[in-house]
């Protein structure tokens, strides 16, 4: 089992910056990849960014060049640096961990971008 706790959400102005953090605990040795997903009202949950255990990253086209995913292995924490956020980035952001069998999810953190 893996437990995920997100932090760092809130209200941010368009063009500002915000950093989300996701602390993992439990069977972290089994994690193959971690990522951030988001879900806006009335929309499906979508991948925002993902980082594998080898350090490979991938991003949704809509956030490329603006968001950066990174990790601190010593702290078992993954970050999402959100630069130049736009109102359309408003959503609940969920941390995800994948161990090749299971998907684990955090409780979600609200990000609201004001114009």
């Amino acid at each position: 089992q893996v437990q995920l706790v997100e932090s760092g959400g809130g209200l941010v102005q368009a063009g500002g910056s915000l950093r989300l953090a996701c602390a993992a605990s439990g069977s972290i040795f089994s994690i193959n990849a971690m990522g951030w997903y988001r879900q806006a009202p009335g929309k499906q949950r979508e991948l925002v960014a993902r980082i594998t255990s080898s350090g490979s990253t991938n991003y949704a086209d809509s956030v490329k060049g603006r968001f950066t995913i990174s990790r601190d292995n010593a702290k078992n924490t993954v970050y999402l640096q959100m630069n130049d956020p736009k109102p359309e980035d408003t959503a609940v952001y969920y941390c995800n961990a994948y161990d090749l069998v299971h998907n684990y999810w955090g409780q979600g953190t609200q990000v609201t971008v004001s114009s």
Side-chain angles (χ1 to χ4, degrees):
Q1 289 283 342
V2 174
Q3 293 78 43
L4 304 171
V5 178
E6 301 115 333
S7 60
L11 177 65
V12 62
Q13 282 193 329
S17 64
L18 193 68
R19 189 177 78 160
L20 306 182
C22 173
S25 61
S27 301
I28 57 175
F29 60 89
S30 66
I31 296 174
N32 177 262
M34 293 187 69
W36 289 93
Y37 288 70
R38 67 187 181 188
Q39 187 167 19
K43 295 188 176 181
Q44 288 189 335
R45 191 172 298 189
E46 62 176 1
L47 174 70
V48 177
R50 183 172 177 266
I51 185 166
T52 69
S53 56
S54 63
S56 297
T57 59
N58 61 288
Y59 297 89
D61 287 343
S62 60
V63 307
K64 281 181 181 176
R66 300 188 296 121
F67 293 7
T68 302
I69 189 169
S70 63
R71 64 184 187 186
D72 184 333
N73 290 333
K75 296 182 178 180
N76 299 322
T77 300
V78 171
Y79 302 96
L80 184 70
Q81 179 67 42
M82 305 171 62
N83 294 332
D84 189 25
K86 304 179 186 302
E88 52 263 40
D89 294 319
T90 294
V92 177
Y93 283 69
Y94 296 91
C95 181
N96 168 270
Y98 177 59
D99 65 2
L100 299 180
V101 176
H102 306 100
N103 272 299
Y104 301 95
W105 297 95
Q107 78 283 1
T109 185
Q110 176 70 45
V111 172
T112 301
V113 184
S114 63
S115 56

